Amino acid sequence: MTDPQSYRPQNIPTEPGVYRFFDGNDQVIYVGKAKNLKNRLNSYFGSNLSPKTHRMVHHAVRVDWTIVKTELEALQLEFTWIKKENPRYNIQFRDDKSYPYLAISLGELFPRMYISRNRNHKITKYFGPYAHGWALRSTFEVAQNTFPIRTCTDVNFQQATKTKRACLLGHIGKCAAPCIGKVTVEEHLEIAKKLVKFLDTNPDEVKKELQTQMIEASQSEEFEKAARLRDQLAALEKSEQTAGTFLSEGFSGDFLAAYEEITHIALTVFMVRSGRIMGSRSWILDRKEILEEEGYLAAALNKIYLESEIPREILINELLSKEAEISLLENYLSEKAGFQVNLIQPQRGDKFELMQTVQRNAHEALVQYLSKRMGDSAVSGEAVSQLAQYLDLSQLPLRIECFDISNTQGTNMVASMVVFEDGRSKKSEYRRFSIDDEKKFDDTRAMNEVITRRFKRYLAAAQENLTEIEEMGGLGVSGAKVSKFAYPPQLIVVDGGQPQVNAAIKALNDLGITDIPIVGLAKRMEEVWLPGSPDPIILPRHSEALYLLQRIRDEAHRFAITFHRSKRSKVMLESALDEIDGLGEIRRKALLEHFGSLAAIKKATELDISKIPGIGEVLAKQIYDGLHNGLHDGLQDSRDKNDDFI
């Protein structure tokens, strides 16, 4: 590695410009722009650098710069050099998947419609990409019904031409059958052009033209042609009803939204033309590859509109609008497009609602990417190794157990234990604990209780396994079964701060266990608390270790809440049914097993209730009246409010 001070430049100008860092092979490894080159470049040679910036400046051996007149010129030059050099330390975009396109081969004598994942042919018109297969299939089917362009391969088309026999689509009207001369070359080309016009522009013009042709055909007594045009018009109108069009037909623009997690960012763009969503695409950014001072909106816009059409309006969500240089980017895009381009954050109305949808799609793209990534053993191994390093553990935490407490103002208290092995969840070993409400535990005493119960089981299981092995003749005997609780974790995580950690460590000490490390993860600042430490540890914000701890803590929280709600629902149901005369324990149990919840019983009719074994019409009326006389509405309301408390 190189000492950055060995190549730190002197007499740096204060004008705007673009700078480049080079490695030992004279390859560009980073390109950046600056309004003031001296201030920006000096910041790279300080002592308080982010991990990635630190790696970059130690990887480089020299830096140069180019002065320009304005910051806009610097932005243009920066994008040009990034495209040309593809520097390793600039933001790298990864497509979350390969999206299909709807293609129409206008360059052929008889154009055809087909689905493709590549855009290799210049004389082929592409529409999309489509994020969902159902959307593409729906569009393809509507296009076939409305504009009977051929969809067969060239081999099948030539075969049909030789045999003078049309395929099934030609017989049922979904293809104009140019292979057997039902339409001429010009007529089939006109069908293809109408389809392109329909997909590319406002369909109202196509509808008017179809309607005019239908009337003309009817007046000239060409009834078969008029009927075919009528069916095309009906299919076109039906497609509009199911296309989800709710923006103005005159609106065209792109919606760009971002969703952030600890380690990655997802960007999703929706392309809207003539009020309709024509396609979408998503990218994933690795935070480790983004320098702290580098905004990703500029890089995203340059990536998206490097070759794509630039609309007059680009709507961005709140996350992206917080970045600076909005006006600078507008000027850059306007100059590139040749007309005024505006970056806007919608605040209300239909555009705001669509932006929420785009952001949800970004979230889904990130969830899918991270789900696949969690199965990567290399990523999981890195997270476990980082955790051992940051917490100064004597061994890798290959098995981690996390505990969480859930309750409603001290009642219906439960706890959960989730297990992660090699950085991945092992749901077969999850456990849940019910805590006696009569003991009036708070969270810390409950944590002590749960840790004590779990590790009493560990000590007992370990002793049982040892006894069984000895009775079977020693450690070499393979017939002994080892209890799951006999395996101790290499790390215990509790949901909470110093009080919860102290309660957990006391429970282990009381049992004589001193070799299992314990940490607490507090939600407020994601602080990691260690036993006996006056101050918490703050893990690097975008580290795999912190992300792993958060996943484990969130999974324990989810598992605890699920059990808590189940327990609370059962208690509330039983307490409500206790007040109904003539309803004993067996009949209450029958109701609970059949309906499952108090809300379901309240929705049932007297006839539905009377069908339960052991409950006749008279008792069914008592149950119905008891649940609908208003006495239990407050109970249900309190349940809904307590959901927010949890």
Side-chain angles (χ1 to χ4, degrees), residues 29 53 65 71 150 186 267 269 323 354 381 415 439 482 496 637:
I29 61 174
T53 306
W65 57 84
E71 194 177 1
R150 81 175 182 98
E186 293 76 13
L267 290 168
V269 61
E323 294 193 17
L354 181 56
K439 294 182 179 180
V482 180
D637 290 343

Side-chain angles (χ1 to χ4, degrees), residues 100-281:
Y101 293 82
L102 185 65
I104 301 172
S105 58
L106 294 176
E108 297 186 53
L109 181 63
F110 292 99
R112 72 184 183 101
M113 179 174 64
Y114 63 98
I115 294 172
S116 173
R117 291 185 180 271
N118 299 314
R119 302 179 65 182
N120 300 329
H121 302 288
K122 294 182 179 180
I123 52 178
T124 297
K125 186 72 174 179
Y126 294 93
F127 298 93
Y130 288 82
H132 302 287
W134 59 264
L136 179 55
R137 289 192 298 271
S138 176
T139 303
F140 194 93
E141 184 178 351
V142 167
Q144 268 191 323
N145 292 334
T146 311
F147 305 95
I149 186 175
R150 81 175 182 98
T151 57
C152 59
T153 63
D154 291 338
V155 173
N156 290 341
F157 183 80
Q158 292 169 6
Q159 181 68 24
T161 303
K162 289 179 181 179
T163 61
K164 299 298 181 181
R165 294 178 59 185
C167 64
L168 176 62
L169 295 177
H171 287 296
I172 64 177
K174 289 190 175 184
C175 177
C179 55
I180 61 174
K182 275 192 175 182
V183 293
T184 64
V185 173
E186 293 76 13
E187 289 173 337
H188 190 265
L189 180 61
E190 188 64 25
I191 293 173
K193 289 181 177 179
K194 287 180 181 179
L195 174 56
V196 170
K197 188 176 182 180
F198 163 65
L199 294 172
D200 213 10
T201 62
N202 192 332
D204 282 348
E205 297 179 15
V206 180
K207 286 168 56 181
K208 290 178 182 178
E209 187 174 345
L210 287 174
Q211 196 166 22
T212 300
Q213 292 179 8
M214 181 184 68
I215 294 173
E216 291 176 353
S218 178
Q219 290 175 347
S220 61
E221 298 185 355
E222 297 179 70
F223 298 117
E224 287 188 11
K225 181 179 179 180
R228 187 169 65 251
L229 291 167
R230 178 203 61 200
D231 294 340
Q232 291 179 8
L233 187 60
L236 183 57
E237 291 175 344
K238 183 179 180 181
S239 71
E240 285 190 305
Q241 294 172 2
T242 59
T245 303
F246 57 90
L247 295 175
S248 168
E249 293 179 349
F251 174 79
S252 292
D254 288 354
F255 288 73
L256 180 62
Y259 189 89
E260 292 185 311
E261 284 286 354
I262 291 178
T263 57
H264 291 79
I265 301 167
L267 290 168
T268 295
V269 61
F270 274 24
M271 288 76 78
V272 178
R273 302 294 181 266
S274 300
R276 296 186 301 165
I277 300 172
M278 303 302 295
S280 69
R281 200 167 185 180

